[in-house]
Amino acid sequence: MSSEVLGLQIDKTELEAARDLLEHEINEMKYRQQQLELTNTNLQRQVERLSEEKEEREREAVSYFNSLEKTREACQDLQIQLDHALQQGQDPNSKGNSLFSEVEDRRAEMERQLISMKVQYQSLQKQHAFSRQQLHRMKVLSAHSTQGEQQGESISGAIFSVLSTSGSSFKSRY
């Protein structure tokens, strides 16, 4: 009977060790699950933040485009006024030197405004192109970020780098 008791005690010890091992594995699995849930939550927040930034960039691009269109219209108006002033200046039926000098002054002023508007127009075109490029980068990076959790951290670093570069570049220009 003592050999049976000894055998049962050995079996009991082995079962307790197996139970302890299984409990340890369960605890490890719970910990891994919590870590994965935390990572998932962080990635979801990052996606939301990137989506908001993307929408903001799109709104900026629309704003730049609208500003560019208004500048184009203003340039066209100034060109019409300049052409009209030039026509009046070349009109042989003008009423004398005082009127001619007023027209010439007006033409010179319009020409200066036209040059200023052209410079502003070119600047806005560059700014718009830059914003489009940044928006494209954001779209590409956003598309890449959805391809896997393993790439999440490196992509978020790249996105942060692009955003900080574009922000500092934009601030340095204006």
Side-chain angles (χ1 to χ4, degrees):
M1 193 143 152
S2 67
S3 66
E4 284 181 34
V5 170
L6 185 60
L8 289 173
Q9 284 181 341
I10 292 172
D11 288 344
K12 178 185 171 194
T13 306
E14 289 175 355
L15 288 173
E16 286 176 348
R19 184 194 69 204
D20 291 343
L21 182 63
L22 288 173
E23 286 176 353
H24 180 71
E25 286 180 14
I26 287 172
N27 289 336
E28 283 183 11
M29 291 295 180
K30 285 181 181 178
Y31 176 76
R32 289 172 80 193
Q33 180 184 7
Q34 289 173 346
Q35 290 299 317
L36 288 173
E37 288 173 352
L38 180 62
T39 302
N40 187 30
T41 302
N42 288 339
L43 288 173
Q44 287 175 344
R45 287 182 187 151
Q46 185 178 9
V47 166
E48 288 173 10
R49 182 180 49 82
L50 291 174
S51 295
E52 289 171 2
E53 289 175 4
K54 179 186 139 212
E55 290 173 6
E56 178 64 28
R57 297 287 182 203
E58 287 173 348
R59 284 191 295 270
E60 286 177 6
V62 168
S63 172
Y64 294 146
F65 180 76
N66 291 338
S67 178
L68 185 63
E69 287 298 315
K70 288 178 183 176
T71 303
R72 282 183 186 156
E73 290 173 6
C75 283
Q76 288 175 348
D77 290 344
L78 288 174
Q79 184 64 46
I80 290 170
Q81 289 176 9
L82 178 62
D83 290 343
H84 183 69
L86 286 174
Q87 243 180 1
Q88 285 180 347
Q90 294 175 353
D91 185 13
N93 296 328
S94 65
K95 292 188 176 180
N97 289 339
S98 66
L99 182 60
F100 182 77
S101 66
E102 284 182 27
V103 170
E104 181 60 26
D105 291 345
R106 175 104 174 150
R107 184 200 62 79
E109 176 63 29
M110 290 295 139
E111 191 172 326
R112 282 191 297 275
Q113 286 181 357
L114 176 64
I115 290 170
S116 172
M117 293 301 270
K118 283 182 180 179
V119 168
Q120 186 179 5
Y121 173 74
Q122 290 171 351
S123 174
L124 285 172
Q125 277 184 323
K126 288 178 185 178
Q127 189 178 11
H128 179 67
F130 179 75
S131 295
R132 282 184 130 183
Q133 183 183 25
Q134 292 301 317
L135 181 61
H136 177 71
R137 284 183 187 167
M138 291 294 295
K139 285 180 180 178
V140 168
L141 289 175
S142 179
H144 286 297
S145 70
T146 60
Q147 291 180 354
E149 291 181 13
Q150 295 176 354
Q151 298 174 345
E153 293 180 11
S154 64
I155 290 173
S156 67
I159 290 172
F160 180 74
S161 172
V162 167
L163 287 175
S164 64
T165 302
S166 68
S168 64
S169 171
F170 181 76
K171 288 178 183 174
S172 69
R173 287 182 182 197
Y174 302 97

